[in-house]
């Protein structure tokens, strides 16, 4: 089975970021109260740089927008330098005119993680759902922190991270994979698939294999991103390196 959605390939990651930033700017122009879903990781860094630049020129206005991040480590507070919240503050939130009241994040230090996941699902519902969800992809095909396995959780939930995922997040924790929390909270596959529009971004040669599987392989819990094949409005933005294993 192949993914019938729109796939765009650009020569390099910086062009992908510019393209997506323009898409976000246009979406915000059309709907200033846009509800955005946001990822972390190295991939969106260039996007956030570009969004900050566009906000500086007045091309983007985030003042009425709402954001929900996909996931957060469990067992560390938002103020921890390795938290995804700290990452987002440093790379986007501190530099644009988002209303802090409309920035939503999973609390990795919540006393009751289950209640925290329910709270998050409710907050997404109350915001009217996510209009535009931007996703990266892990080298093992995970999206958010939905890891490959024999099953996938539908809604926001608590997850145990795979060793490769802890390794790829080690940069946030002094390059020590053992210092990366073993668990996290993440939107579930259903939460992701409920977004009205999804854009998945993958850049670099490390992503070529999972992109190939995502585009040409079957829907399988072993590659959580493959479930995007079920969504009606998915766009995949790639640089040439990530697209290297796709046929012309
Ligand atoms: C983390 C995040 C994902 C992200 C992935 C890829 O595990 N939870 O949302 O897509 O990393 O990260 P990178 O963009 O650094 O390859």
């Amino acid at each position: 089975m192949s993914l019938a959605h729109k796939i765009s390939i650009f020569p390099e990651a910086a062009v992908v970021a510019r393209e997506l930033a323009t898409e976000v700017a246009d979406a915000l122009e059309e709907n200033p109260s846009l509800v955005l879903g946001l990822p972390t990781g190295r991939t969106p860094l260039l996007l956030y740089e570009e969004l900050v630049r566009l906000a500086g020129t007045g091309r983007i206005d985030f003042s009425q927008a709402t954001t929900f991040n996909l996931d957060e480590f469990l067992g560390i507070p938002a103020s921890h330098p390795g938290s995804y919240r700290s990452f987002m503050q440093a790379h986007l939130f501190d530099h644009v005119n988002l209303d802090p009241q409309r920035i939503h994040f999973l609390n990795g230090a919540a006393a009751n993680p289950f209640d925290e996941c329910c709270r998050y699902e409710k907050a997404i519902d109350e915001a009217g759902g996510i209009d535009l969800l931007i996703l990266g992809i892990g080298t093992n095909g995970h999206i958010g922190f939905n890891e490959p396995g024999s099953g996938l959780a539908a809604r926001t939930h608590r997850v145990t991270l795979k060793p490769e995922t802890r390794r790829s997040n080690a940069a946030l924790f002094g390059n020590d994979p053992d210092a990366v929390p073993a668990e996290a909270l993440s939107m579930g596959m259903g939460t992701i698939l409920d977004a009205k529009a999804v854009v998945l971004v993958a850049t670099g040669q490390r992503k070529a294999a999972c992109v190939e599987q995502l585009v040409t392989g079957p829907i399988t819990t072993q590659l959580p991103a493959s479930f995007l094949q079920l969504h009606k409005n998915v766009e995949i933005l790639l640089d040439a390196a990530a697209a290297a294993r796709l046929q012309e």
Side-chain angles (χ1 to χ4, degrees):
M1 198 210 254
S2 71
L3 193 69
H5 305 298
K6 192 178 160 208
I7 301 174
S8 304
I9 302 170
F10 300 94
E12 54 183 27
V15 187
V16 176
R18 281 204 297 275
E19 191 67 24
L20 181 51
T22 306
E23 219 173 284
V24 173
D26 290 347
L28 273 167
E29 207 165 53
E30 202 180 303
N31 175 13
S33 310
L34 195 74
V35 180
L36 275 166
L38 297 174
T40 49
R42 274 150 291 180
T43 311
L45 281 174
L46 289 171
L47 166 69
Y48 294 149
E49 230 174 74
E50 187 62 12
L51 290 177
V52 169
R53 193 186 70 76
L54 292 178
T57 66
R59 167 76 170 87
I60 285 194
D61 176 14
F62 284 101
S63 61
Q64 302 302 314
T66 295
T67 67
F68 286 90
N69 264 79
L70 274 162
D71 45 15
E72 179 59 287
F73 295 107
L74 189 59
I76 57 170
S79 58
H80 188 289
S83 74
Y84 278 169
R85 176 67 195 236
S86 295
F87 174 99
M88 290 303 298
Q89 289 296 145
H91 295 290
L92 185 69
F93 299 159
D94 285 347
H95 312 288
V96 298
N97 64 342
L98 270 163
D99 176 350
Q101 302 288 338
R102 282 196 279 267
I103 293 174
H104 297 269
F105 235 94
L106 281 154
N107 176 9
N112 183 328
F114 178 77
D115 288 351
E116 175 59 8
C117 293
C118 295
R119 178 196 68 79
Y120 209 57
E121 285 285 327
K122 195 160 166 258
I124 294 172
D125 276 351
E126 283 171 1
I130 295 171
D131 294 312
L132 175 61
L133 174 60
I134 301 168
L135 295 176
I137 182 169
T139 49
N140 65 6
H142 74 235
I143 46 179
F145 270 137
N146 293 279
E147 295 278 40
S150 51
L152 290 170
R155 312 310 316 183
T156 300
H157 61 294
R158 180 175 185 165
V159 281
T160 300
L161 300 177
K162 299 267 186 199
E164 63 264 31
T165 300
R166 293 177 77 196
R167 274 197 300 277
S168 62
N169 280 278
L172 297 170
F173 294 87
N175 290 317
D176 176 8
D178 292 333
V180 178
E183 292 183 287
L185 301 177
S186 176
M187 285 185 195
M189 294 306 301
T191 326
I192 289 172
L193 292 172
D194 281 349
K196 287 158 208 151
V198 177
V199 181
L200 181 139
V201 190
T203 55
Q205 178 266 331
R206 284 186 326 124
K207 302 292 169 68
C210 60
V211 165
E212 181 189 24
Q213 279 177 274
L214 161 65
V215 174
T216 64
I219 296 174
T220 165
T221 58
Q222 296 304 329
L223 191 93
S226 64
F227 278 76
L228 294 175
Q229 295 182 24
L230 297 171
H231 196 283
K232 275 189 192 157
N233 186 3
V234 176
E235 208 186 336
I236 300 179
L237 302 184
L238 305 171
D239 69 353
R245 292 169 67 152
L246 301 181
Q247 288 177 344
E248 289 302 306

